[in-house]
Amino acid sequence: MRRTVHPSEHGFTLTELLVALVIGTLLATAVFAFFLNSSQIITNQSTTTDMWQRGRNALALMRQAVESAGFGLPQASNCPNGIAAYIANQSTTSPFSMTAITASVQSGSAYDPTTLSQIDTYSLMTVTGGASFGNAPVAQITKTPSNQSATLFLNNVNLIKIHDMFVVELPGQACLMGQVTKVNSKGQGIVGNNINFSSGTSPFNSPGGFSGIAGTIYNINGIDFTNANFLDLGSNNFTINQFTIGDNGGTATPTLYLTQYTTNQSAGTAPGRQALARGVVDLQLEYGLGSNGAITQWVLPKNYTASVTQQILAVRIAMLVRSTRYMPNETSPASFAMPTPTGQSPQSYSVPQNNGPGCLQGDCRHYAYHLFESVVPVRNSIWSGP
């Protein structure tokens, strides 16, 4: 006997099942797309926030270095050409003319963006003294055995301590820097007060005495050191800061590094570079020049010539930072306009699309970028520059 099917017992038809499946698929796709889009937005926001934080921190450290530069160092009028200095553990052991603020075009294997971005990238060096005596000399030289000697005879050694950095002023000739490695006072079996600056103990001392420190920068042969001022820069706060960009030959994300030289540095050990901020791809610097506290012009360091009438009153910092995460759905501008002094050719950083350092597939346009800028007043009375 045939059973009668009640209307309430009817199931779904094939058409109804297909319609429901299509609607469910569309809803699932929409929900998945929503979550995927939300995830990308959150990731991009996190990446951008990280980039901002890294840039702000690096800029703050550079500002602090510029503001402290020149403290406890000789006046510009005493050392108009800077100070002839020597650091054995640098990439070169040649003496250099050290000034409180030095900006120079960066090149070489560490990081050279000129072939990709068509712009010169700068490195920055600042020097801060640690003297509690200010710029006042603590002694005068009474005798120097020879220009190659590592011994100086002084009229007074009471305020001088081992490890103190010092500067000898030769008016109209040179300013030479070294580090005290031994202090000999009267009553110790020594004829007269004297100090030693041995190269085997300190990386700031040349094997050739003052002749090695001066090198070819100054000709000190035959110069009489008698009555020259001896300035004690102290030891606790003496610091040389070097800010450079490196990328390990293009295989890693460009990174801003800080190398610090201090008085407690061992003679045979070079200080390590500290990574400050990944993603720093360009650093531009300008000098604000003027007199009597008023800036009259801005110049690029490579175009600047030292002048007795124009002091560095401020430093303009422009630092271009990119994200460290690849962002396939984002496309950066092809170039970024960089600050340019009035009357000079405009500068721009071109974003590499091939062989970009540390970029996925070499294309650097799929990253976020931001240009950090700051004008930093120079607080200390320093010489004009390199």
Side-chain angles (χ1 to χ4, degrees), residues 353-368:
Q353 291 184 265
N354 296 292
N355 300 320
C359 296
L360 189 63
Q361 299 178 349
D363 187 355
C364 294
R365 292 199 62 188
H366 296 294
Y367 293 80

Side-chain angles (χ1 to χ4, degrees), residues 326-347:
Y326 182 74
M327 305 168 71
N329 296 326
E330 301 289 334
T331 303
S332 75
S335 63
F336 290 86
M338 306 299 287
T340 306
T342 303
Q344 299 189 22
S345 301
Q347 294 191 116

Side-chain angles (χ1 to χ4, degrees), residues 61-112:
L61 289 173
M62 295 185 70
R63 282 186 57 94
Q64 183 181 28
V66 172
E67 290 174 347
S68 301
F71 173 79
L73 297 181
Q75 296 290 337
S77 58
N78 295 340
C79 298
N81 298 316
I83 300 175
Y86 180 96
I87 302 180
N89 291 322
Q90 278 199 321
S91 57
T92 173
T93 57
S94 301
F96 61 96
S97 186
M98 180 180 68
T99 58
I101 295 177
T102 305
S104 56
V105 175
Q106 184 175 317
S107 62
S109 58
Y111 183 69
D112 188 1

Side-chain angles (χ1 to χ4, degrees), residues 102-145:
T102 305
S104 56
V105 175
Q106 184 175 317
S107 62
S109 58
Y111 183 69
D112 188 1
T114 55
T115 56
L116 295 174
S117 59
Q118 288 77 51
I119 189 172
D120 289 329
T121 290
Y122 282 88
S123 62
L124 174 68
M125 185 177 79
T126 66
V127 186
T128 303
S132 57
F133 312 106
N135 295 304
V138 300
Q140 278 75 42
I141 297 176
T142 58
K143 183 176 66 173
T144 302

Side-chain angles (χ1 to χ4, degrees), residues 32-48 325-330:
F32 177 77
F34 172 78
F35 281 107
L36 180 62
N37 186 56
S38 298
S39 177
Q40 290 178 343
I41 291 174
I42 293 173
T43 299
N44 291 348
Q45 288 178 341
S46 176
T47 301
T48 303
R325 184 186 293 271
Y326 182 74
M327 305 168 71
N329 296 326
E330 301 289 334

